Amino acid sequence: MRKSEKEFTEQNLFNIKKLFYDKLAMNEPPTVTRSDSSFYPPILYPSAQTKKSMNKRKRYRKAIYIPVTAALSLCLVTGAAASVGIIDLSTVLHFLGVDRIGILQPVHQVSEDQGIRMEVIGAVRDGDTTEIYVSLSDLTGHRIDDTLDVYDYRVTGGNANNAQIIHYDDANKTAIVRFLIQGKVSKNRITVQINTLMSGASRQDGYNVQVDWEQLLQEKQNNSYDIVDQDRISGLGGTTDIQLETDPIPVLHQDVTNVPVEGIDWMHISNIGFVEGKLHIQINPNNEIGEYNHGYFYFTDEQGQKLDIPEYSVSYGHYMKDGVGYGGDYEEYVYDLSAVDNLDKLRIQGSFTSISEVVQGNWKTTFNLSQNALSKTGNIQLDANGGLQANVTLSPVGVTLTGEALSMIRMEDLSIEVHLKDGTKLTGESGFLQLDQDLIKWISPKTIPVNDVSYLLINGEKVTL
């Protein structure tokens, strides 16, 4: 979620929020309407976004699914749990297999705040990857559910973080979150800190936006606009060739209109119009709940069919100067309608996600975690012309791919087979996670016996280790 030893910034928060809701949008069935929809996704935060990778951000994100296996009793001794002497990790991580639990180091560190209990259950380090399992329980209410979003968090070490709710125990109102940290850790001392939790996320589709298309088209060539300063941009995403560092970014004048969206009370359309041939829709969210809620607009034709329109969005407005905060937080959606006939027949609709619960606090634990250094390495050519190559590292947890331009690979297009010396194999067509533009991780559903591995097949190509 941040570069090692640097401050966590507002831009990091935006990237996490935007990617989370992009995923939310992509996974929602297109026929859902706001009269009957609610959405409870697995939470995924690919959060190590550089400016370059924000410009190239994809709209697909593959969640990691860990198969539920029968749990056997496995007791592990730890000095950290001196008061009890033994921790039975299988009782709290029963969705993992015994072999996976076997490589975890029990931690049993607890932090409580705002009536919510955070416990770091167990963790493992395999070279550059750290995997940490944390339970979150509400001691006073019902703020922890299966929509839990660990929104603002940090883990020391590494340059790419991911937090995902992978199990929810409804009887005990407890969520298990797995933190995945990629990057070299210089010390064995690890700190996990959570500052903001969100729950109750529900996405509703089909909000109607009343727009006077005749007036918009009449004013299409006459709209004036601003060029937003670089230091006022907190995020850029979608399909665009804009280079954040160098290109001017046009936006509409702020707060020219106040167009409500029926059924949404946390934001309004603060301006709408064409700039350089593209339609801009500017919204001004409420400073409180609007900071966490999110959504997007889309277009349908006369038959109600959703149209595939190239679009991008830019977030801007709030900035600091001489220690003083100025402006608000605006989101501007930009649509290229140049290939659409009969613009006056279009219909704008919205799809928005609302959060019912936001809890801010300070949950923090620090613990020692030694490294499992067992690994094997190799390399692979991922395209026919040899322009896309990657280094491969096999560890007990999974396989890491590193190399230039890996952000161009779709996670859905990757497959892997781990072939053992006895002729058996482990396979995976899911479990791939892009942690950074040049780094992909595959998490194995089972612990890999590294010394017993003969070779890998990645997309059918043999990797000699």
Side-chain angles (χ1 to χ4, degrees), residues 249-261:
I249 299 181
V251 297
L252 297 170
H253 296 318
Q254 298 174 12
D255 299 318
V256 174
T257 66
N258 191 338
V259 179
V261 178

Side-chain angles (χ1 to χ4, degrees), residues 73 90 97 109 114 116 139 143 150 159 161 172 191 209 223 237 250 291 294 328 362 415 442 452 462-463:
S73 177
S90 65
Q109 292 287 338
Q114 307 298 317
I116 291 177
L139 306 178
R143 295 166 292 176
V150 183
N159 57 8
N161 291 357
N172 297 312
T191 296
V209 180
N223 280 333
E291 178 183 351
H294 204 71
N362 182 23
S415 64
W442 174 66
D452 296 332
K462 185 175 181 179
V463 180

Side-chain angles (χ1 to χ4, degrees), residues 346-412:
L346 289 182
R347 182 183 179 187
I348 300 181
Q349 293 190 297
S351 180
F352 298 99
T353 298
S354 297
I355 300 295
S356 63
E357 194 76 52
V358 177
V359 183
Q360 294 182 329
N362 182 23
W363 298 271
K364 184 177 181 180
T365 64
T366 300
F367 54 94
N368 290 324
L369 184 62
S370 60
Q371 179 173 316
N372 182 344
L374 186 62
S375 66
K376 288 185 177 182
T377 61
N379 56 74
I380 186 174
Q381 180 177 303
L382 291 169
D383 63 346
N385 57 24
L388 192 59
Q389 299 192 25
N391 296 319
V392 180
T393 302
L394 172 74
S395 72
V397 171
V399 173
T400 303
L401 303 179
T402 55
E404 295 184 0
L406 292 185
S407 60
M408 306 305 295
I409 299 176
R410 289 170 53 92
M411 299 301 98
E412 294 91 329

Side-chain angles (χ1 to χ4, degrees), residues 222-339:
N222 302 317
N223 280 333
S224 59
Y225 56 88
D226 299 321
I227 298 297
V228 65
D229 293 338
Q230 297 291 330
D231 60 359
R232 298 187 64 188
I233 298 174
S234 57
L236 181 69
T239 306
T240 177
D241 293 327
I242 291 177
Q243 298 299 314
L244 189 61
E245 302 90 338
T246 58
D247 294 346
I249 299 181
V251 297
L252 297 170
H253 296 318
Q254 298 174 12
D255 299 318
V256 174
T257 66
N258 191 338
V259 179
V261 178
E262 184 179 356
I264 298 292
D265 58 3
W266 50 267
M267 69 90 177
H268 63 273
I269 297 176
S270 50
N271 203 353
I272 184 171
F274 285 86
V275 174
E276 300 178 346
K278 295 181 173 63
L279 179 66
H280 288 232
I281 304 177
Q282 179 193 98
I283 67 170
N284 186 358
N286 178 283
N287 285 334
E288 295 180 3
I289 196 67
E291 178 183 351
Y292 303 101
N293 293 337
H294 204 71
Y296 68 98
F297 298 96
Y298 60 93
F299 297 85
T300 59
D301 58 19
E302 290 183 281
Q303 288 73 42
Q305 297 296 315
K306 190 174 181 179
L307 302 177
D308 186 13
I309 305 293
E311 57 90 11
Y312 69 89
S313 64
V314 54
S315 292
Y316 64 97
H318 181 77
Y319 65 102
M320 299 295 295
K321 185 176 182 179
D322 299 328
V324 179
Y326 296 89
D329 290 305
Y330 294 83
E331 184 105 4
E332 193 149 323
Y333 303 90
V334 183
Y335 303 89
D336 185 356
L337 302 177
S338 58

